[in-house]
Amino acid sequence: QGCTQKYIVKNYFYYYLFKFSAALGEEIFYITFLPFTYWNIDHSVSRRMIIVWSIVMYIGQVSKDILKWPRPLSPPVVKLEMRTNAEYGMPSTHAMAATAISFSFFIATTNQYKYPFELGLVAAFVFSTLVCLSRLYTGMHTVLDVIGGALISAVLLVLLYPAWDTIDHLLLTSPFCPLFSIVVPLLLCYNYPKLDYYSPTRGDTTTILGAAAGATVGFWLNNQYAAPAYTSQSFQPGFPLGTSTMVFVLARFLVGILVVLLTRWLTKSVVLGALGYRYKFPICDLHARRRLEVEVPYKFVTYSSVGFTATVIVPLLHELLGLM
């Protein structure tokens, strides 16, 4: 299972299109797009997307390990990815994340910004469809996995939408928000469904819940002690965009993502070093890092630090550098 199958690419357009589309449902996209939205578009939109994304992904990841539906057999399917091959298939969390993020972004912005409703709807549909099709092209999911994931995500969006404003208000104003945001995700991570063999689903779920926990604490702190939640006026969807606006948008993103990546590397190194000292294992020991008592704290602390940095430290740095 650790060896990639040999294959011949006959259509490079589809190959690179769907390899890129598959990346839109992975960490590299989450760690860039969600912070970008917070820094450059709208705080309220970003908060709603993060809330929906974390809930949808937790339900999707847990469902995989409860249902235990296998991924497509290979052969006849040729698998272009190997990292997630150890996970079960149903539902496709790529499909769930793509549907949740694209449509929550569309729903949250359609009443706040002036752009054609049809354009936003088509963009959300195309984005989610490309990610869904990429899971079929790469051989990682069946059609049923993808349809199931998209439908589950759509149902959750419908159920969550009426409570968006209430949840957002509580997360910003409740004195119990920081405690709730840390304790509940940690309990969910430590009580994740157990499997007979190692699967990256628990680690990925801890990453997602940790990032959401850190960001949520950051939202609360900003609203309590910095400035009330606001709609950023630095970027308004629509064209043409001024050159100076684009320069500020790019500068905020580059400074922010550099700080976020540095935070992730530094926190991961420190936490793994401390856990290695506590449980007597070298940091390079992959088997030890997969143990529950190691994987959950190191990933939760690392990514909660990332979420907190993205929502609190980076905006302060932007203000200090005159990028607001």
Side-chain angles (χ1 to χ4, degrees), residues 48-318:
R48 284 161 171 77
M49 281 199 300
I50 289 173
I51 292 167
V52 171
W53 168 66
S54 58
I55 293 173
V56 164
M57 288 298 288
Y58 176 76
I59 291 174
Q61 295 285 74
V62 169
S63 298
K64 282 179 184 286
D65 292 339
I66 292 176
L67 294 174
K68 298 183 179 180
W69 287 21
R71 289 185 182 268
L73 293 176
S74 177
V77 167
V78 176
K79 296 187 176 181
L80 305 188
E81 298 176 12
M82 297 309 298
R83 178 189 174 274
T84 57
N85 199 36
E87 297 180 7
Y88 289 107
M90 178 64 164
S92 167
T93 46
H94 272 71
M96 293 184 72
T99 303
I101 288 177
S102 59
F103 281 94
S104 61
F105 181 82
F106 166 63
I107 294 169
T109 57
T110 188
N111 293 325
Q112 296 191 40
Y113 299 101
K114 294 181 180 180
Y115 65 87
F117 177 87
E118 296 78 7
L119 177 63
L121 183 62
V122 169
F125 180 78
V126 169
F127 179 91
S128 56
T129 300
L130 282 174
V131 176
C132 290
L133 291 177
S134 74
R135 308 317 289 158
L136 303 178
Y137 183 88
T138 55
M140 300 310 296
H141 285 285
T142 65
V143 174
L144 186 59
D145 294 343
V146 170
I147 293 176
L151 286 177
I152 293 170
S153 192
V155 170
L156 290 171
L157 268 174
V158 171
L159 295 175
L160 288 170
Y161 177 71
W164 267 16
D165 292 338
T166 302
I167 294 172
D168 190 50
H169 177 73
L170 287 173
L171 291 180
L172 291 176
T173 60
S174 172
F176 302 105
C177 172
L179 181 64
F180 179 86
S181 299
I182 297 297
V183 172
V184 172
L186 264 178
L187 289 175
L188 292 175
C189 293
Y190 274 108
N191 291 279
Y192 193 82
K194 293 180 174 59
L195 297 176
D196 296 332
Y197 64 93
Y198 178 79
S199 168
T201 49
R202 185 184 65 204
D204 291 345
T205 304
T206 305
T207 294
I208 293 165
L209 294 184
T216 303
V217 173
F219 299 151
W220 184 85
L221 279 175
N222 286 336
N223 191 64
Q224 296 293 318
Y225 301 106
Y230 67 91
T231 297
S232 173
Q233 300 299 321
S234 59
F235 177 83
Q236 294 287 336
F239 295 94
L241 294 174
T243 303
S244 60
T245 300
M246 293 305 298
V247 169
F248 272 91
V249 166
L250 183 61
R252 278 193 292 266
F253 175 72
L254 291 178
V255 169
I257 204 66
L258 180 63
V259 173
V260 164
L261 293 176
L262 182 62
T263 299
R264 183 179 68 166
W265 171 78
L266 183 62
T267 308
K268 180 179 178 180
S269 300
V270 171
V271 175
L272 269 179
L275 290 169
Y277 177 80
R278 168 67 177 82
Y279 293 108
K280 311 300 181 186
F281 68 87
I283 294 179
C284 58
D285 187 343
L286 184 60
H287 178 73
R289 286 164 56 173
R290 290 174 171 177
R291 287 154 46 188
L292 175 67
E293 64 271 22
V294 175
E295 184 177 58
V296 169
Y298 110 70
K299 290 202 169 185
F300 192 88
V301 172
T302 297
Y303 285 91
S304 60
S305 299
V306 166
F308 183 83
T309 298
T311 54
V312 176
I313 306 301
V314 170
L316 289 175
L317 185 59
H318 285 164

